[in-house]
């Protein structure tokens, strides 16, 4: 042992005693510290074996082992119970590319981008809109009401060339966009299929052209006024050509028909008997009231994967045939993107472009480019900003529809409606559910939704605002479903989760 002194003061500052040592009176503490430090080595193997064999440790080990296996078996049993009792996932219906997003038709190439080559330069713009298919044309050569001049395999030189079309198809495919060619025979004349006596020859020409273009890379063909040829005995031959060009390794080819001025029952019969993959009608445009439109949607909701919907698209026109309230464009977008079926738009619908009489409107590009300071008048700048906002709204809806199963192929439930407002529910299995509420009327509306929709389908007390045209309803805010207040010409898309 040795003495170790702990000084409370700095040795230099401590007073010295006569013998040169610091004294205990001045704060010196002496401790005894062992010379060699003791280290802990633990138990030896022999000692551990002796302890492990004692009755106490044996019982402890058995208790821990039993608890481990009981816990493991309990977790396994719990997982099995969850799997067995969990509701089975609903099988997803067979989807084709034309069900996965909007179709965008370019009926007037000159007004859109001058020619086929110009369309190719605008593919990035359309890709931003999440468009799944382009409907091009008609482009073929034909004189008005002259069936002997019809040549569906030759492109009108004023529209472009075959090489331009094939280049457009190649570039579009690289961006995931399909191309449909409009082969409506007499598109310049009064009757799309000429006269009654010409049907057989005309259908034969359409069939040959369809086979030619499908083998060239076109993804589908479209014909208008399909009720006329569908009644012919030769129609099945055209349908067979499209079917014959389908293979397992390549995406399906589309046979698209357009019909105008027919009833809900006739549309249903045509879909079920004609072999048409996608039928676009003008039923929505024909209905004059909100209630009538909602009834049409409800009646045909079961055919959602075989129906295309548009407001003006069946006539190859824009959503708004004449200038009107700009807010109506947003409401039409909301309706078409959230109702069951494939939305079909005409070029310019994404910015609220309107027609000027019978003349196709000139497409407006570069709307996001701000004019140089002091060069734009106030009215023109307001129009430009409005078009930018409408396009942003269109993109948001298109993007959402492409991601959400409830909007892609979900079931449709009609909710509350009035003279000016409508609401409906879209849901699919355990996916997020969506409620669309639109006030087309000129006055504010308060919509109250009942909790019970149908057997096994209930609404929550509140839902989240996903998208809204009404400035009073901010996105991500919660809204009570028993009192949804919408201003005139406003709409909202609500979201709520599945609850077991």
């Amino acid at each position: 042992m040795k003495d170790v002194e702990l000084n409370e003061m700095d040795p230099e500052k401590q007073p010295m005693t006569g013998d040169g040592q610091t004294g205990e009176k001045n704060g010196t503490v002496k401790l005894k510290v062992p010379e060699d430090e003791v280290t802990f080595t633990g138990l030896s193997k022999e000692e551990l074996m002796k302890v492990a064999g004692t009755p106490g440790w044996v019982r402890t080990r058995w208790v821990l082992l039993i608890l481990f296996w009981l816990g493991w078996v309990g977790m396994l049993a719990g997982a099995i119970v969850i799997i067995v009792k969990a509701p089975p996932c609903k099988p997803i219906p067979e989807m084709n590319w034309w069900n996965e997003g909007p179709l965008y038709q370019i009926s007037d190439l000159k007004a859109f981008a001058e020619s086929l080559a110009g369309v190719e330069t605008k593919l990035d713009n359309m890709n931003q809109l999440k468009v799944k298919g382009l409907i091009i044309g008609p482009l073929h050569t034909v004189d008005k009401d002259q069936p002997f001049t019809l040549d569906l395999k030759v492109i009108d030189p004023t529209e472009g060339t075959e090489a331009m079309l094939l280049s457009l198809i190649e570039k579009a495919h690289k961006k995931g966009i399909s191309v449909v060619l409009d082969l409506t025979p007499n598109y310049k004349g009064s009757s799309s299929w000429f006269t009654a006596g010409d049907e057989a020859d005309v259908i034969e020409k359409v069939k040959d052209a369809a086979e030619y273009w499908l083998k060239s890379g076109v993804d589908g063909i479209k014909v208008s006024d399909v009720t006329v040829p569908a009644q012919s005995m030769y129609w099945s031959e055209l349908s067979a050509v499209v079917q014959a060009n389908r293979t397992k390794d390549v995406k399906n080819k589309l046979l698209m028909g357009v019909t105008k001025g027919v009833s809900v029952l006739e549309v249903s019969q045509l879909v079920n008997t004609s072999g048409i993959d996608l039928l676009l009608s003008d039923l929505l445009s024909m209905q004059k009231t909100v209630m009538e439109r909602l009834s049409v949607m409800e009646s045909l909701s079961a055919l959602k994967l075989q129906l295309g919907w548009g407001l003006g698209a069946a006539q190859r026109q824009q959503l708004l045939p004449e200038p009107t309230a700009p807010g109506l464009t947003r409401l039409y977008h909301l309706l078409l993107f959230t109702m069951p079926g494939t939305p079909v738009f005409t070029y310019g619908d994404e910015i609220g472009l309107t027609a000027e009489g019978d003349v196709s409107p000139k497409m407006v590009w570069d709307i996001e480019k701000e004019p140089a300071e002091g060069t734009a008048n106030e009215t023109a700048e307001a129009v430009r900003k409005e078009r930018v906002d409408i396009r942003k709204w269109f993109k948001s809806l298109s993007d959402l529809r492409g991601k959400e199963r409830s909007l892609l192929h979900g079931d449709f439930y009609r909710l509350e409606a009035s003279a000016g407002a409508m609401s409906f529910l879209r849901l699919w299995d355990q996916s997020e559910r969506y409620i669309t509420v639109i006030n087309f009327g000129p006055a504010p509306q308060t919509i109250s939704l009942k909790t019970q929709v149908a057997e096994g389908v209930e609404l929550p007390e509140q839902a989240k605002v996903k998208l809204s045209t009404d400035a009073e309803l901010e996105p991500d805010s919660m809204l009570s479903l028993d009192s949804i207040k919408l201003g005139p010409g406003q709409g909202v898309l609500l979201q709520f989760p599945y609850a077991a």
Side-chain angles (χ1 to χ4, degrees):
M1 302 287 288
K2 64 179 181 179
D3 292 340
V4 177
E5 294 183 352
L6 299 178
N7 297 322
E8 294 178 333
M9 298 180 62
D10 191 322
E12 295 181 359
K13 298 180 180 180
Q14 292 179 354
M16 299 296 292
T17 60
D19 58 359
Q21 301 285 334
T22 58
E24 292 186 6
K25 294 181 180 179
N26 292 320
T28 302
V29 179
K30 293 185 178 182
L31 300 176
K32 298 291 186 178
V33 179
E35 292 285 348
D36 299 322
E37 187 177 341
V38 178
T39 58
F40 178 75
T41 58
L43 299 176
S44 66
K45 181 178 178 181
E46 291 76 12
E47 291 172 326
L48 284 173
M49 293 301 295
K50 289 180 180 179
V51 173
T54 60
W57 277 109
V58 171
R59 286 193 298 270
T60 301
R61 286 201 304 274
W62 274 107
V63 169
L64 292 175
L65 182 63
I66 292 171
L67 288 175
F68 168 78
W69 283 108
L70 285 176
W72 188 88
V73 172
M75 288 189 293
L76 179 62
I80 294 173
V81 170
I82 292 173
I83 294 172
V84 171
K85 289 195 171 184
C89 292
K90 194 174 181 179
I92 297 176
E94 182 180 354
M95 300 279 288
N96 288 294
W97 59 263
W98 55 84
N99 303 126
E100 296 173 352
L103 301 184
Y104 188 95
Q105 63 178 6
I106 307 170
S107 51
D108 191 328
L109 265 65
K110 294 184 181 66
F112 181 74
E114 300 299 336
S115 67
L116 283 168
V119 175
E120 185 177 318
T121 65
K122 305 301 182 184
L123 285 175
D124 284 337
N125 187 284
M126 287 173 277
N127 194 35
Q128 292 172 7
L129 302 176
K130 307 298 181 182
V131 168
K132 291 301 178 182
L134 299 181
I135 304 173
I136 305 293
L139 306 174
H140 53 266
T141 59
V142 64
D143 292 336
K144 180 180 178 181
D145 299 325
Q146 301 296 322
F148 61 89
T149 66
L150 178 64
D151 193 339
L152 293 159
K153 298 179 185 178
V154 176
I155 295 176
D156 188 330
T158 62
E159 307 284 2
T161 65
E162 182 174 338
M164 289 180 183
L165 177 59
L166 297 181
S167 177
L168 169 62
I169 294 170
E170 181 183 359
K171 297 292 175 53
H173 286 175
K174 290 180 179 179
K175 297 181 182 298
I177 301 175
S178 300
V179 177
V180 178
L181 189 59
D182 192 332
L183 294 181
T184 302
N186 190 30
Y187 67 96
K188 298 178 181 179
S190 56
S191 175
S192 297
W193 295 84
F194 300 101
T195 61
D198 299 319
E199 289 176 10
D201 291 339
V202 174
I203 291 177
E204 182 65 26
K205 289 183 178 181
V206 173
K207 184 191 75 171
D208 290 343
E211 188 168 16
Y212 175 79
W213 289 115
L214 290 173
K215 288 184 177 179
S216 298
V218 168
D219 301 294
I221 63 166
K222 169 197 167 189
V223 290
S224 296
D225 296 327
V226 73
T227 49
V228 176
Q231 298 172 5
S232 170
M233 65 173 62
Y234 303 102
W235 172 257
S236 59
E237 297 178 9
L238 174 59
S239 178
V241 166
V242 178
Q243 294 289 339
N245 279 273
R246 294 178 175 175
T247 62
K248 293 182 178 180
D249 300 328
V250 182
K251 62 183 177 182
N252 280 345
K253 303 292 186 179
L254 168 66
L255 176 57
M256 180 177 179
V258 181
T259 183
K260 293 175 286 186
V262 299
S263 67
V264 170
L265 179 60
E266 289 173 306
V267 166
S268 179
Q269 290 175 340
L270 198 56
V271 167
N272 292 320
T273 61
S274 65
I276 292 173
D277 300 306
L278 189 69
L279 181 65
L280 171 65
S281 77
D282 63 346
L283 277 173
L284 281 183
S285 302
M286 289 172 58
Q287 312 310 312
K288 301 303 180 184
T289 68
V290 170
M291 300 290 283
E292 289 174 346
R293 285 182 176 176
L294 197 56
S295 296
V296 166
M297 293 159 56
E298 183 178 27
S299 299
L300 295 173
S301 61
L303 301 175
K304 53 184 172 286
L305 297 183
Q306 296 166 280
L307 289 179
W309 293 102
L311 287 159
Q315 298 86 357
R316 295 199 292 268
Q317 296 175 348
Q318 279 68 30
L319 282 174
L320 305 177
E322 57 187 27
T324 183
L328 190 57
T329 301
R330 293 181 176 86
L331 300 188
Y332 285 163
H333 288 170
L334 179 58
L335 175 64
L336 293 173
F337 273 117
T338 60
M339 66 182 288
T342 298
V344 183
F345 297 96
T346 303
Y347 76 91
D349 285 346
E350 72 274 23
I351 60 172
L353 195 66
T354 57
E356 301 175 5
D358 296 331
V359 180
S360 297
K362 187 81 171 177
M363 184 60 183
V364 180
W365 300 104
D366 300 324
I367 58 173
E368 295 184 358
K369 183 179 180 181
E370 296 185 4
E373 186 175 352
T375 61
N377 62 62
E378 188 174 332
T379 302
E381 181 63 5
V383 171
R384 184 192 70 82
K385 289 182 177 179
E386 175 67 13
R387 285 172 172 167
V388 170
D389 289 343
I390 292 175
R391 189 173 186 271
K392 186 181 299 183
W393 171 257
F394 184 101
K395 288 171 61 178
S396 298
L397 284 166
S398 185
D399 184 59
L400 184 66
R401 186 186 184 278
K403 295 177 180 177
E404 296 294 336
R405 291 179 177 177
S406 291
L407 298 178
L408 275 173
H409 49 73
D411 298 327
F412 173 90
Y413 291 92
R414 174 177 177 168
L415 301 178
E416 300 301 314
S418 65
M422 67 162 64
S423 59
F424 55 87
L425 168 67
R426 298 295 308 281
L427 64 85
W428 179 259
D429 199 26
Q430 301 174 38
S431 300
E432 294 284 324
R433 284 101 188 275
Y434 289 89
I435 299 172
T436 299
V437 187
I438 304 176
N439 178 17
F440 289 102
Q445 293 268 2
T446 299
I447 297 93
S448 180
L449 301 182
K450 299 177 181 178
T451 303
Q452 188 71 30
V453 176
E455 185 177 353
V457 179
E458 294 184 357
L459 298 181
E461 294 182 358
Q462 291 184 321
K464 182 174 70 174
V465 176
K466 188 65 179 179
L467 294 169
S468 174
T469 65
D470 197 323
E472 298 296 323
L473 304 177
E474 296 184 1
D476 296 327
S477 63
M478 299 303 293
L479 190 63
S480 176
L481 298 185
D482 64 359
S483 181
I484 303 173
K485 297 179 180 180
L486 283 178
Q490 302 296 334
V492 62
L493 181 63
L494 305 172
Q495 180 192 62
F496 65 94
Y498 164 80

